[in-house]
Amino acid sequence: PGCIGGGVFVEVGTPANVLLIEMWQEAAQLETHVRSPWYHRLLAIMETAAERPTLRFSFVTETRGLEWVEQVRLGSTVSPVGKG
């Protein structure tokens, strides 16, 4: 419960490079998932890797869609996402 999407991606020519992406509605739901037996199995599989895997969690604070693209392309005033 709480997982709103995701996918598994494998790099062409390098099947050892796998990227698992999950999107969660709330951090608390992700925390429950990390405590689950399913996640325990995932960690056990990662421990069998020939090289130490990288595990990262990115927490997004804002998501924008096509409306934002339209505003930018039409030159409307848009709040800055970052500098650069």
Side-chain angles (χ1 to χ4, degrees), residues 37-83:
W38 185 92
Y39 204 82
H40 179 77
R41 287 192 299 272
L42 175 62
L43 292 174
I45 292 168
M46 290 173 65
E47 288 177 358
T48 66
E51 294 181 28
R52 183 181 177 120
T54 302
L55 181 60
R56 285 188 298 227
F57 295 86
S58 299
F59 294 85
V60 178
T61 59
E62 181 181 12
T63 302
R64 296 181 181 189
L66 280 174
E67 297 81 13
W68 180 81
V69 172
E70 182 178 25
Q71 288 176 346
V72 170
R73 290 184 54 82
L74 295 176
S76 300
T77 303
V78 181
S79 61
V81 173
K83 296 181 179 180

Side-chain angles (χ1 to χ4, degrees), residues 8 20 22 24 33-45:
V8 176
L20 168 65
E22 296 177 337
W24 292 83
H33 174 64
V34 169
R35 292 185 201 100
S36 73
W38 185 92
Y39 204 82
H40 179 77
R41 287 192 299 272
L42 175 62
L43 292 174
I45 292 168

Side-chain angles (χ1 to χ4, degrees), residues 5-36:
V8 176
F9 302 89
V10 179
E11 186 175 335
V12 175
T14 314
N17 289 340
V18 178
L19 174 64
L20 168 65
I21 295 177
E22 296 177 337
M23 295 172 282
W24 292 83
Q25 287 179 327
E26 297 182 19
Q29 293 166 322
L30 172 59
E31 291 170 8
T32 298
H33 174 64
V34 169
R35 292 185 201 100
S36 73

